[in-house]
Amino acid sequence: MTEQIWKNEERAVFALRSLYRRYGYAPYKMSRFEEYELYVRNKDFLVSDQIITFSGSGGRLMALKPDVTLSIVKNAPETPGVVQKAYYNENVYRDYREIMQAGLECVGDLGEYEIAEVVLLAAESLALLGEPYVLNLSHMGLVGAMLRSSGLSGKQQRQAMACLRRKNRHELEGLCGGNPLAVSKLSTLLTCRGGMEALKRVEAVLTTEGERQAMAELRALWAILEGRENAIRLDFSVGSDLGYYSGVVFRGYLAGVPESVLSGGQYDALARKMGKRCRAIGFAIYLDLLQELHQQENMLDVDTLILHDGSVDTCALIAAAQEAAKKGSVLVARETPRERRWKHLVDLRNGEGR
Amino acid sequence: MDMLNIALPKGRLGEKAYAMLKNSGYPCPALEDPGRRLIFENPEKNVRYFWVKPSDVAIYVERGAADLGIVGKDILLEYAPDVYELLDLNMGKCRMAVAGKKDFREPVGKTLKVATKFPNIAQRYYSGKCRDIDIIHLNGSIELAPILGLSHVIVDIVETGVTLRENDLMVYEEIVPISARLIANVAAYQFKEQSINRICGSLREQMEGKS
């Protein structure tokens, strides 16, 4: 009964919290606002640049938080060997909307284990939210290295990145023009999708040491994820800003939700930009999108409707309501309520009991 | 297998696109009967088509009401929807261009008044040139604006150039070539990848066969 009245997003919050706690992530609670300067310095990292600002004490410009990650990275530990693991469930404010977001961040002296753990927790989170799910995985270190070695100018590289994101092969090939190296490398990235086979195809077109190093990282991670090819796929259209993301990046989808519900990655470059000597990886889940998921809708709003005309003794009315509430939900009203549907009607008007 | 929802732009382009999709193994006989219905289904082939205003196709696809859609590149450039752009269909070819009166001379030292249905494309084009402009957003008969002195130039789609010529206007600069594209909803692609790729492959073959 209790489970039934939970909305999808409420159920998700409980399930995710339990999952993250089991892996040693501590709850993180942040205040509703931060100084605007924190966001304006890292504007491109944010999903939207529509930040709601107001004047704080002493004339400082404050912002309703559009993001949680920046606040966590700001306070990240820099001691060797120390890792901070945090999860959150916060409302963030973007484009004049309040958005319920959950997620986790793992910051500090990260190793291969932590990276793999976060990717696996992203997959586990999706599985908790609903099946089937798909987690697309890419590596910005690899994509960045391949773009740099393709012989394209800086502007062309940015355009090529946009083509990769849109799976737009026709314009990508046009952009590479008569450059066969660029065509071979970037078309391979664009068309490769799936598991080990896709990985091998990309491997075959690598030419530089930087590319091979990034590929080795991706290969090591893929070995850990092996066996989950149905749900986790390599897909290099998962693109994020190269200025912030340096390693693995991923995006998650649930059948029935028309956009990605989970987005994350390794953002060591953001930490560096913020002057922190640490590495960082995390993801966010956009809980408001779970409203889109089909929920077994109860066609009835209430089990029992008790109608009375004000002449019924209040004690008798309370007793009737309590009796009905023992079996299910009850609504006591003087008029037949509009836009509500009920299973049983108890009509106490005109002293009747039906 | 899940139903595949395809948004077609009303008009000639949509009809041509449907003919190609039919050849790809997704016919829908109901759609071929004339009438005023907007939605057509072929349960045998698990496909549902619907006719929408051409400029709305991208919205249907981005929001997931349609898995696939056929849309002009002009709409993709103007609204920048978050969709996969899988194929250039090489149909509905035209160009986005700047046009003005035949005796037009760019006003030096003045803000350039630009009438257009595509404010974002115009804004982006002129910011790339660091040119100060005043955008006049119109919904139709854009060619009237320079004739009546409402604007200096227009940014609009030019197909054959007949309308421009008949109104003593001419193209001054070409901004970008335009053609119809096959787009897919990003999330739908994850779950209907096989059907979408099959359609894509077949459309590509049909285009290569023609060229």
Side-chain angles (χ1 to χ4, degrees):
Chain A
M1 159 95 181
T2 327
E3 280 261 344
Q4 279 168 7
I5 59 169
W6 282 354
K7 291 182 190 164
N8 280 331
E9 54 274 35
E10 291 165 340
R11 199 177 301 127
V13 167
F14 284 103
L16 295 173
R17 191 180 294 169
S18 153
L19 170 68
Y20 304 151
R21 270 181 191 270
R22 269 184 280 139
Y23 281 86
Y25 286 74
Y28 178 85
K29 181 77 194 155
M30 74 172 284
S31 71
R32 276 197 179 75
F33 35 86
E34 276 265 12
E35 283 197 45
Y36 178 62
E37 204 195 342
L38 173 68
Y39 304 114
V40 82
R41 265 190 274 132
N42 300 289
K43 228 171 175 179
D44 294 336
F45 181 77
L46 304 174
V47 178
S48 156
D49 57 5
Q50 298 282 318
I51 301 169
I52 305 170
T53 56
F54 60 96
S55 292
S57 59
R60 286 180 309 167
L61 191 58
M62 307 295 287
L64 279 177
K65 61 175 188 284
D67 166 271
V68 180
T69 305
L70 288 174
S71 307
I72 295 182
V73 175
K74 194 171 83 172
N75 300 307
E78 297 180 291
T79 320
V82 174
V83 170
Q84 184 194 336
K85 296 180 175 186
Y87 75 84
Y88 61 86
N89 172 211
E90 294 277 343
N91 284 337
V92 294
Y93 304 85
R94 287 178 202 142
D95 304 322
Y96 293 94
R97 285 177 59 214
E98 187 177 49
I99 297 163
M100 210 214 285
Q101 189 173 301
L104 64 78
E105 309 288 347
C106 187
V107 291
D109 188 5
L110 306 187
E112 202 176 282
Y113 170 78
E114 282 80 17
I115 308 279
E117 180 183 83
V118 170
V119 175
L120 283 168
L121 281 173
E124 289 283 317
S125 305
L126 287 168
L128 280 175
L129 301 178
E131 306 242 18
Y133 72 89
V134 166
L135 184 70
N136 281 347
L137 196 83
S138 174
H139 193 292
M140 291 317 287
L142 178 64
V143 173
M146 289 177 76
L147 282 169
R148 284 191 297 276
S149 69
S150 60
L152 300 179
S153 69
K155 186 182 171 195
Q156 286 173 323
Q157 285 181 33
R158 282 192 296 279
Q159 290 172 327
M161 188 74 213
C163 288
L164 282 177
R165 270 187 216 161
R166 300 260 168 269
K167 289 194 182 290
N168 183 339
R169 191 170 154 190
H170 41 279
E171 281 176 19
L172 181 74
E173 288 178 353
L175 192 70
C176 297
N179 179 345
L181 181 71
V183 173
S184 134
K185 283 192 167 188
L186 302 180
S187 300
T188 306
L189 266 188
L190 191 137
T191 50
C192 276
R193 180 174 149 86
M196 197 44 115
E197 280 309 306
L199 202 76
K200 283 180 184 162
R201 274 183 59 204
V202 176
E203 216 158 29
V205 296
L206 302 183
T207 52
T208 68
E209 197 42 42
E211 292 169 351
R212 290 197 189 95
Q213 260 176 21
M215 177 52 97
E217 261 183 43
L218 187 57
R219 238 183 190 284
L221 179 63
W222 194 254
I224 296 163
L225 303 173
E226 201 142 33
R228 293 173 177 250
E229 285 92 340
N230 272 342
I232 305 184
R233 291 169 197 166
L234 285 173
D235 186 317
F236 298 96
S237 72
V238 184
S240 292
D241 193 318
L242 281 162
Y244 293 99
Y245 288 89
S246 42
V248 59
V249 286
F250 43 89
R251 236 166 231 277
Y253 300 88
L254 291 177
V257 183
E259 49 191 302
S260 71
V261 294
L262 181 149
S263 166
Q266 195 184 338
Y267 45 91
D268 298 352
L270 170 75
R272 253 199 319 277
K273 267 192 182 178
M274 292 176 73
K276 303 292 288 189
R277 288 186 310 277
C278 68
R279 303 174 74 193
I281 183 168
F283 59 82
I285 297 171
Y286 310 113
L287 293 170
D288 52 321
L289 292 176
L290 301 183
Q291 292 174 21
E292 305 261 348
L293 274 181
H294 176 72
Q295 201 175 5
Q296 202 76 46
E297 285 273 346
N298 187 358
M299 297 304 285
L300 299 169
D301 298 300
V302 63
D303 292 317
T304 307
L305 170 68
I306 302 179
L307 283 179
H308 70 103
D309 56 8
S311 65
V312 185
D313 173 50
T314 306
C315 282
L317 208 51
I318 290 282
Q322 284 176 336
E323 192 54 37
K326 279 183 197 159
K327 295 174 202 150
S329 53
V330 60
L331 174 67
V332 179
R334 294 178 71 148
E335 292 288 336
T336 309
R338 279 192 202 171
E339 294 165 10
R340 302 287 290 268
R341 280 159 298 185
W342 53 89
K343 205 181 208 172
H344 307 293
L345 171 70
V346 177
D347 195 343
L348 301 177
R349 290 175 300 186
N350 303 319
E352 288 184 22
R354 268 192 276 154
Chain B
M1 204 170 63
D2 283 337
M3 180 76 76
L4 203 57
N5 294 296
I6 305 179
L8 294 171
K10 276 185 204 164
R12 217 156 36 103
L13 178 66
E15 284 161 19
K16 277 170 85 176
Y18 167 69
M20 289 177 81
L21 289 161
K22 184 181 171 186
N23 286 337
S24 303
Y26 287 89
C28 185
L31 183 136
E32 293 164 42
D33 294 334
R36 286 183 172 239
R37 285 187 60 199
L38 296 170
I39 185 157
F40 307 91
E41 200 171 304
N42 182 352
E44 270 175 44
K45 297 287 177 187
N46 261 321
V47 67
R48 187 186 292 134
Y49 289 99
F50 32 92
W51 294 112
V52 301
K53 192 174 171 178
S55 53
D56 288 344
V57 169
I59 298 171
Y60 279 80
V61 175
E62 184 181 30
R63 294 273 183 155
D67 302 315
L68 288 175
I70 311 290
V71 65
K73 181 70 183 178
D74 50 328
I75 302 299
L76 298 179
L77 289 172
E78 180 62 23
Y79 299 107
D82 186 14
V83 293
Y84 287 150
E85 185 183 326
L86 299 176
L87 210 54
D88 181 351
L89 294 168
N90 278 322
M91 295 190 307
K93 280 188 174 180
C94 52
R95 55 206 165 123
M96 185 65 68
V98 180
K101 288 205 282 189
K102 277 186 179 158
D103 56 358
F104 164 73
R105 283 181 62 216
E106 179 152 350
V108 184
K110 272 193 198 170
T111 300
L112 184 72
K113 288 192 279 183
V114 183
T116 186
K117 261 195 279 188
F118 303 95
N120 293 328
I121 294 178
Q123 190 73 62
R124 219 175 305 134
Y125 177 66
Y126 283 105
S127 1
K129 301 173 101 186
C130 301
R131 181 71 166 100
D132 180 39
I133 61 165
D134 176 14
I135 290 192
I136 301 163
H137 190 178
L138 297 177
N139 294 303
S141 303
I142 314 290
E143 295 83 1
L144 261 180
I147 299 170
L148 298 178
L150 179 63
S151 73
H152 295 115
V153 291
I154 62 172
V155 165
D156 203 12
I157 283 175
V158 179
E159 205 172 334
T160 57
V162 174
T163 317
L164 290 182
R165 267 197 305 280
E166 288 184 358
N167 289 290
D168 287 327
L169 302 173
M170 63 178 282
V171 169
Y172 282 91
E173 290 154 73
E174 187 176 316
I175 299 179
V176 63
I178 303 289
S179 56
R181 311 291 161 101
L182 175 74
I183 58 171
N185 174 270
V186 175
Y189 185 88
Q190 314 305 326
F191 301 100
K192 300 178 181 179
E193 188 183 351
Q194 278 187 335
S195 319
I196 293 176
N197 282 345
R198 203 177 311 127
I199 288 188
C200 239
S202 167
L203 294 177
R204 197 175 284 127
E205 274 171 27
Q206 289 178 55
M207 288 188 319
E208 281 161 8
K210 268 185 207 165
S211 61

